[in-house]
Amino acid sequence: MITSHFERRAHVSWDSCTALNGSTFFIRGCTDIICCILLLVAIVGYVAVGVVAWTQGDPRKVIYPTDSRGQFCGQKGTPNENKPFLFYFNIMKCASPLVLLEFQCPTTQICVSSCPERYLTYLQAYTTDITATGDLKYYQQFCVPGFKDLRKSPPEVLKDGDCPAMLTPSKPLARRCLPAVNAKKGVIMVGNETTFDDGRGKKRNVTDLVEGAKKANVILEARQVAMKIFEDYTVSWYWIIIGLVISMVVSLIFIVLLRFLAGIMVWVMIVLVILVLGYGIFHCYMEYAQLKGRSGSDVSLRELGFQTDLRVYLHLRQTWLAFMIILCIVEVVIILLLIFLRKRILIAIALIKEASRAIGHIMTSLLFPLCTFFLVCLCIAYWASTAVYPFLTFNTSNITKQCLGARCLFAFYGGETAYHKYLIIFQIYNAFMFFWLANFVIALGQVTLAGAFASYYWAFKKPDDMPAFPLFSSFGRALRYHTGSLAFGSLILAIVQIIRVILEYLDHRLKAAENMFAKFLLTCLKCCFWCLEKFIKFLNRNAYIMIAIYGTNFCTSARNAFFLLMRNIIRVAVLDKVTDFLLFLGKLLIVGSVGILAFFFFTQRIKVIQDTAPPLNYYWVPILTVIVGSYLIAHGFFSVYAMCVDTLFLCFCEDLERNDGSPERPYYMSPALREILLKGSLESSKSAESQE
């Protein structure tokens, strides 16, 4: 029997050492070695950055108050042992956007034994102290430690930053001195006053103090919300785990049924999605009708503002109307897609059936996403721990005493070492390496699955010609020969992602600006890089499939995959994407079902087990956790299907170009797949010719 050119190419490519280019056999070797070396060097540098961050930084500074010299307030064994409260020299500077970006106020901060109790300026204290009232002695406890020269004139003291220009009545909140705000008849006051002297001869409104206190309190408010969320997790964690287990069981049952009843399951899935959406629309309408005429239900979302207790929004008619409109649009879109793509759905079902057979022969592939998930979690944990440790405090200096005329201005947070000066570079490098390693782990998972499923497709006699352990052999082949190619693809994606992060940072900084052109340009750049990221992800995914099949380098694989898809653009548009849509409906069905069950349970709407639900501060915490967890679980299972479908689709397109179905050049696709896909391809070509 004469062995065809492509048959020899298919068989040989699965050996760990050989591949074919044209008519010449090659030894499968390492690809993109430079990128592999670059990744290893970058990882070594990443470890060094982590070690430096852990030795130089202190994560307690994120939680506990520290003065401008980095010393904790009220900690035993420190100079501030008897000074438990943090005092801000100028609380109004906390209204700066730097507070939200750096989690620090750009003003001198000291530890004090008690917060100030009255309005007082340094000039007043200096003047009245002549009459032996003791104001200057009282004021001195709020000056920088070591200040004892009470004979210095007020201008010199304020210029050197020895003392604050003013004191305002304050109360300790989480060991921080914040203005004692109260309201009388709707008028905001601080210490029964609506105005105050800023210490430089200018009268200001107390709203300036309130604005600064709000920004200084942003971390405290977030901490209080975080504590309530933590409390909710402590009383509902086992119910969350039960919900996630239910999601895992449902996903596994769905996958098993899809293995044997793909056609029936797809149509049942479509019908169930339509019914669930219909029930959601009906439920939203009933809630909307019940709130009609009820007092307070007509308040708009804009008037209400953001509320941490999401149950407040459920008492508004506008909320249920918005839900109903969104669900109606989704259902109409799904129904229209089903009407116009019904023939393509049949072809997509055939592709899903073939994917089910491939997964059935490689059942370990369903568990492989757990390995990818574990590695991504390691990347996240390392990034988070490295990012938290470098938080440092505001640096002060006595330079004004050494250089007359110099003024103390806020420059940066931290000390004066090289580590502190280049802290922002370390943080950018930390974020960049996180993106690179996370993308590399995902790429490794994709190329491993692609190699395993391609070995199924190119086996002439399925499953007899398949390797003994296709998943493990594909994983070893990817690590041994193609680490550089995976590093190359993930590096390109990481560069685009870090640019998007920088653009988001700039957008946050320019929110208060009034330069409309800058805002427009930034919005365009964000949109362009978002599109670029999506395109690179799509190209990388298909490039990894070609790497798994032929063992070529990244650029060659990306080029071959791109032109192969362009030559089959109609099939890509109407077949591959329809399959993705059907798999998305499967995830939507699982997540929606588990999410609705969690909603009714945690809101105590199931009368049979109404008393079983735990009391919560925010009931949306466990619900969102279950929904997000269910999506990740369902996505983990269906991502295997999606990768299998994409791999089989590319192999199918390559099979059509290399073979013609003759005895000399037979197709490698299964008979069932051949019958419906070739029929669909003929119909597509005829329709394209008729349009021309």
Side-chain angles (χ1 to χ4, degrees), residues 247-265:
S247 175
M248 185 178 299
V249 172
V250 172
S251 299
L252 187 59
I253 292 175
F254 194 91
I255 292 295
V256 172
L257 292 177
L258 204 61
R259 166 70 177 86
F260 300 100
L261 304 170
I264 297 175
M265 285 300 300

Side-chain angles (χ1 to χ4, degrees), residues 467-669:
F469 301 100
L471 190 68
F472 295 105
S473 61
S474 178
F475 180 76
R477 189 166 53 244
L479 280 180
R480 182 178 179 183
Y481 297 108
H482 307 304
T483 301
S485 297
L486 302 183
F488 191 8
S490 54
L491 173 62
I492 297 173
L493 185 56
I495 292 173
V496 175
Q497 289 174 334
I498 198 66
I499 292 175
R500 289 193 62 201
V501 170
I502 295 174
L503 290 176
E504 290 292 341
Y505 173 81
L506 294 176
D507 185 40
H508 190 84
R509 293 295 301 270
L510 293 175
K511 276 187 177 179
E514 298 181 357
N515 191 330
M516 299 303 296
F517 176 75
K519 291 183 178 180
F520 171 77
L521 181 61
L522 196 59
T523 302
C524 292
L525 288 174
K526 288 169 61 178
C527 180
C528 291
F529 276 95
W530 180 85
C531 296
L532 180 61
E533 181 182 355
K534 295 299 179 183
F535 173 75
I536 291 176
K537 284 184 176 180
F538 172 77
L539 187 62
N540 281 6
R541 184 182 180 91
N542 291 282
Y544 297 148
I545 296 174
M546 301 301 283
I547 290 172
I549 296 175
Y550 298 120
T552 51
N553 60 43
F554 177 80
C555 292
T556 303
S557 300
R559 182 193 62 198
N560 293 340
F562 178 77
F563 286 114
L564 179 62
L565 293 174
M566 289 300 100
R567 291 193 297 270
N568 297 271
I569 188 64
I570 296 178
R571 294 192 184 97
V572 173
V574 300
L575 179 57
D576 191 45
K577 295 310 170 186
V578 171
T579 307
D580 291 340
F581 172 70
L582 294 179
L583 295 178
F584 170 75
L585 288 184
K587 289 187 285 188
L588 185 65
L589 177 63
I590 294 173
V591 175
S593 302
V594 177
I596 291 173
L597 179 63
F599 173 79
F600 280 106
F601 175 76
F602 288 110
T603 56
Q604 300 179 349
R605 300 195 179 195
I606 303 177
K607 295 183 179 180
V608 179
I609 52 176
Q610 187 173 7
D611 298 332
T612 309
L616 300 168
N617 295 305
Y618 309 122
Y619 74 91
W620 50 265
V621 171
I623 294 176
L624 287 182
T625 304
V626 170
I627 290 176
V628 173
S630 299
Y631 177 80
L632 292 176
I633 291 172
H635 180 73
F637 283 104
F638 281 91
S639 64
V640 177
Y641 256 91
M643 197 66 203
C644 184
V645 168
D646 289 345
T647 303
L648 296 181
F649 180 75
L650 267 184
C651 293
F652 163 74
C653 294
E654 188 80 7
D655 198 3
L656 285 180
E657 292 190 353
R658 299 290 182 177
N659 301 296
D660 56 9
S662 63
E664 293 77 16
R665 298 169 61 188
Y667 289 126
Y668 283 81
M669 65 187 76

Side-chain angles (χ1 to χ4, degrees), residues 91-92 119 168-169 179-182 187-196 203-213:
I91 191 71
M92 291 179 291
Y119 282 111
T168 58
V181 181
N182 58 79
V187 179
I188 298 177
M189 297 182 178
V190 175
N192 296 323
E193 298 288 341
T194 57
T195 59
F196 65 96
K203 284 287 185 179
R204 303 187 66 167
N205 196 290
V206 296
T207 54
D208 295 336
L209 289 174
V210 175
E211 185 64 25

Side-chain angles (χ1 to χ4, degrees), residues 230-273:
F230 179 75
E231 291 176 1
D232 290 340
Y233 277 126
T234 58
V235 298
S236 63
W237 63 270
Y238 46 91
W239 294 109
I240 293 175
I241 292 177
I242 292 174
L244 297 179
V245 170
I246 292 174
S247 175
M248 185 178 299
V249 172
V250 172
S251 299
L252 187 59
I253 292 175
F254 194 91
I255 292 295
V256 172
L257 292 177
L258 204 61
R259 166 70 177 86
F260 300 100
L261 304 170
I264 297 175
M265 285 300 300
V266 168
W267 288 112
V268 169
M269 174 183 66
I270 293 172
V271 172
L272 286 177
V273 168

Side-chain angles (χ1 to χ4, degrees), residues 121-133 135-136 154:
T121 66
Y122 185 79
L123 182 61
Q124 292 173 344
Y126 184 84
T127 304
T128 57
D129 196 68
I130 300 175
T131 62
T133 59
D135 285 347
L136 191 58

Side-chain angles (χ1 to χ4, degrees), residues 307-352:
Q307 302 291 328
T308 55
D309 189 356
L310 299 185
R311 285 176 291 189
V312 176
Y313 297 105
L314 299 181
H315 295 280
L316 301 180
R317 296 179 63 199
Q318 194 178 73
T319 302
W320 294 105
L321 179 62
F323 286 161
M324 185 168 59
I325 292 174
I326 293 172
L327 292 178
C328 286
I329 293 175
V330 172
E331 179 143 18
V332 169
V333 170
I334 291 176
I335 292 175
L336 290 177
L337 288 175
L338 293 176
I339 292 174
F340 291 104
L341 299 177
R342 59 189 184 277
K343 292 184 178 179
R344 301 300 173 189
I345 290 175
L346 296 176
I347 302 175
I349 290 174
L351 199 55
I352 292 176

Side-chain angles (χ1 to χ4, degrees), residues 69 83 140 143-149 162 401:
R69 298 182 179 181
K83 299 178 179 180
Q140 187 180 359
C143 298
V144 296
F147 173 72
K148 296 180 180 180
D149 189 3
D162 294 325
K401 298 178 181 179

